[in-house]
Amino acid sequence: MSRGAGPGPALAEELVATAHRLADAAREATLKHFRSDGLSADNKDLRGFDPVTAGDRECEAAMRAILAEIRPDDGILGEEAEAVPSKSGLTWVLDPIDGTRAFLAGTPTWGVLIAVSDDGGPLYGLIDQPHIGERFEGGFGRATVTGPHGTRPLRTRHGRNLSDAILFTTFPEVGTDTDRRGFEAVRDRVRLTRYGLDCYAYALVAAGHVDLVIEAGLQAYDVAAPIAVIEAAGGVVTDWSGGPVHDGGRALAAASPEIHAEALKILGEAGIG
Amino acid sequence: MSRGAGPGPALAEELVATAHRLADAAREATLKHFRSDGLSADNKDLRGFDPVTAGDRECEAAMRAILAEIRPDDGILGEEAEAVPSKSGLTWVLDPIDGTRAFLAGTPTWGVLIAVSDDGGPLYGLIDQPHIGERFEGGFGRATVTGPHGTRPLRTRHGRNLSDAILFTTFPEVGTDTDRRGFEAVRDRVRLTRYGLDCYAYALVAAGHVDLVIEAGLQAYDVAAPIAVIEAAGGVVTDWSGGPVHDGGRALAAASPEIHAEALKILGEAGIG
């Protein structure tokens, strides 16, 4: 996505520092509960199993408290509490635990998603994995992962055809039958499909290890930070018709414009794009 | 599994120290290639996609070199090279990278599996996750995980019914149609099913976060270390009929005898146990 000038360098630095402060607080709040003996899930969704844990709620509350103190004019859009309208034109888009099911199962592929957006969409985003201690960030000229083995630039993989691609998704769990048909049409054309990584799959697109992520039924807070990180690393994220997806819906995240175009074409031919 | 006296304490200590030395060498060999730019997969299996990387081969070679030096009379059964017959009655069962597909995709849920067995099956096993720096071990009176947030005892979760269980599997990718029917019969009775973690799912059973793992088409080196770690932590691992599975096949790993019995009954009723 091509964007206007956006915030100047001083404000950009302040927003990045704020995002890291939020992510540090989120690590503390989530790790207190991750793999703890007493962890349980209330059932938010009576029709299915939509777990929300004390980890989710405390994590979002910790981030909101910091924003109320240091960025009181910014809006907040978070998974677990009411939206705060923006007075500054900037809005923080927060998912305290993306992958609550993974969190409940002890799997280290859930993450904390933090993005700061203006009216045009996300400007900067951060995908943090507290248990591993791994932080992927992109925007304002940055595209970096910092983890247990040091810091590396993020750069998506270019030059690979769809037939050699690695595709990730949370299907077969998520999506309508139509969504699934779209996913399967692309799945049948790639080299390798893997399931169930939540936001970590987007981080791996940014890091150059995965070529495509296809998902449906997303909320804005599921996708805002991944968009910023992947685009900063050289990838493309749209909905299944090639339009913007930062408000949620069906996402197609690709390592390169070429592989994005190939996948869009297949979705279009399947009558689903 | 109830076992005889086995090795005395001095030999047990030596075997544990050897296993850790192998795991340390495996970390170095695998991390050199994990998420590297040049990583590619040769195709071992012309019918499908069975990737083997330089990481797999160098890792197993590094472990074999250590064993040849310090435990020359022990046998070796590994994924990537020929079996070495045992003169001591002990055999090392090695999977240099369990989850090569995850390794290729940059996902930190692959692992190095190291077990030492006698004729009755695995005595001690270790599941190592090099990227996270997390090591699960069980046997000779030990049951421990050491990771980025310290050391904790491993203890499987008891007292949970099948209807509240978390089930992991590598299906839908692995197994015959009959295998899949068995898996689906159990899947339809649990609370939450997650896909695609390879050996890390067994580690999470041992750590008390996951209640069941059901898999098929396993080799001895896929399952020997998980059996040792899970049994040391209080769980039960058998084939789908309740018999031993350390030579491979269909595995049913359960956090408790009760949940194991419930799952076995469902497999039996489906005519598959």
Side-chain angles (χ1 to χ4, degrees):
Chain A
M1 181 168 35
S2 181
R3 299 294 304 275
L11 177 54
E13 281 307 303
E14 187 184 328
L15 295 172
V16 169
T18 301
H20 281 267
R21 189 165 156 193
L22 298 179
D24 291 345
R27 277 195 187 178
E28 196 183 327
T30 53
L31 287 179
K32 210 166 61 184
H33 294 281
F34 184 56
R35 299 189 179 177
S36 67
D37 287 339
L39 185 68
S40 70
D42 298 336
N43 203 333
K44 274 203 304 198
D45 179 354
L46 292 173
R47 292 161 307 169
F49 180 62
D50 184 3
V52 58
T53 65
D56 290 81
R57 283 187 294 252
E58 289 176 25
C59 179
E60 186 163 325
M63 292 194 284
R64 283 173 178 259
I66 291 168
L67 290 171
E69 185 196 332
I70 65 175
R71 300 280 319 164
D73 292 340
D74 295 349
I76 304 176
L77 179 67
E79 182 173 13
E80 304 294 341
E82 293 222 345
V84 174
S86 180
K87 296 172 203 160
S88 67
L90 296 173
T91 295
W92 294 87
V93 187
L94 307 176
D95 193 350
I97 299 178
D98 181 80
T100 308
R101 288 169 178 76
F103 186 91
L104 282 170
T107 312
T109 53
W110 55 277
V112 179
L113 301 181
I114 297 167
V116 59
S117 296
D118 65 11
D119 287 344
L123 299 164
Y124 169 88
L126 185 158
I127 301 171
D128 196 60
Q129 211 306 307
H131 180 70
I132 301 174
E134 200 166 38
R135 188 169 295 176
F136 302 81
E137 59 175 317
F140 300 140
R142 291 160 182 256
T144 303
V145 53
T146 302
H149 308 287
T151 296
R152 285 180 172 195
L154 291 174
R155 208 168 45 238
T156 63
R157 179 156 61 194
H158 283 214
R160 186 173 280 220
N161 295 322
L162 193 71
S163 58
D164 289 322
I166 299 178
L167 165 67
F168 270 76
T169 187
T170 51
F171 292 96
E173 288 165 352
V174 175
T176 65
D177 288 346
T178 309
D179 294 339
R180 189 165 316 199
R181 268 198 301 126
F183 158 69
E184 289 175 352
V186 181
R187 179 200 63 189
D188 292 345
R189 306 279 289 274
V190 302
R191 182 75 175 271
L192 174 62
T193 303
R194 301 282 300 170
Y195 300 89
L197 280 201
D198 304 296
C199 64
Y200 207 83
Y202 294 107
L204 293 176
V205 172
H209 310 300
V210 169
D211 304 288
L212 275 175
V213 177
I214 297 184
E215 296 203 293
L218 299 178
Q219 301 296 323
Y221 48 74
D222 293 318
V223 77
I227 289 170
V229 176
I230 290 173
E231 291 189 341
V236 181
V237 188
T238 68
D239 69 12
W240 291 9
S241 309
V245 69
H246 56 261
D247 289 331
R250 294 161 164 175
L252 170 64
S256 71
E258 293 75 19
I259 219 162
H260 180 261
E262 281 192 85
L264 262 190
K265 186 156 173 275
I266 292 168
L267 289 167
E269 285 167 0
I272 294 163
Chain B
M1 179 166 36
S2 180
R3 299 295 304 276
L11 177 54
E13 282 308 303
E14 187 183 328
L15 295 172
V16 169
T18 301
H20 280 267
R21 189 163 155 193
L22 299 179
D24 291 343
R27 276 195 188 177
E28 196 183 326
T30 52
L31 287 179
K32 209 166 60 184
H33 294 281
F34 184 57
R35 299 188 179 177
S36 67
D37 288 339
L39 184 69
S40 70
D42 298 336
N43 202 334
K44 275 203 304 197
D45 178 354
L46 292 175
R47 292 160 307 170
F49 181 60
D50 184 3
V52 58
T53 65
D56 289 80
R57 283 187 292 253
E58 289 176 24
C59 179
E60 186 163 324
M63 292 193 284
R64 284 174 177 259
I66 292 168
L67 289 171
E69 184 195 334
I70 65 175
R71 300 280 317 166
D73 291 340
D74 294 350
I76 303 176
L77 179 67
E79 183 172 12
E80 304 294 341
E82 292 224 345
V84 173
S86 180
K87 296 173 200 159
S88 67
L90 297 173
T91 295
W92 294 87
V93 186
L94 308 175
D95 192 350
I97 298 178
D98 181 79
T100 307
R101 287 168 180 77
F103 186 91
L104 282 171
T107 313
T109 54
W110 54 279
V112 179
L113 301 181
I114 298 167
V116 58
S117 296
D118 66 11
D119 287 343
L123 299 163
Y124 169 88
L126 185 156
I127 301 171
D128 195 61
Q129 212 306 307
H131 180 71
I132 302 175
E134 200 167 38
R135 188 169 295 175
F136 302 81
E137 59 175 317
F140 299 141
R142 292 159 182 256
T144 302
V145 54
T146 301
H149 308 289
T151 297
R152 285 179 172 196
L154 292 174
R155 209 168 42 237
T156 64
R157 180 157 60 193
H158 283 214
R160 187 172 278 222
N161 295 322
L162 194 70
S163 57
D164 290 322
I166 299 178
L167 165 67
F168 271 76
T169 187
T170 51
F171 292 94
E173 291 166 348
V174 175
T176 64
D177 288 346
T178 310
D179 294 339
R180 190 165 316 198
R181 268 199 301 127
F183 158 69
E184 288 175 352
V186 181
R187 180 200 62 191
D188 292 344
R189 305 280 291 274
V190 302
R191 182 75 175 272
L192 176 61
T193 302
R194 301 283 299 171
Y195 300 88
L197 281 200
D198 304 296
C199 64
Y200 206 82
Y202 294 106
L204 294 176
V205 172
H209 310 299
V210 169
D211 304 288
L212 275 175
V213 176
I214 298 184
E215 297 202 294
L218 299 178
Q219 301 296 322
Y221 47 73
D222 293 318
V223 76
I227 289 171
V229 176
I230 291 174
E231 291 189 342
V236 181
V237 189
T238 68
D239 69 13
W240 291 9
S241 309
V245 69
H246 56 260
D247 290 331
R250 294 161 163 175
L252 170 64
S256 70
E258 293 75 20
I259 220 162
H260 180 261
E262 282 193 84
L264 262 190
K265 186 155 173 274
I266 292 168
L267 290 166
E269 285 167 1
I272 293 163

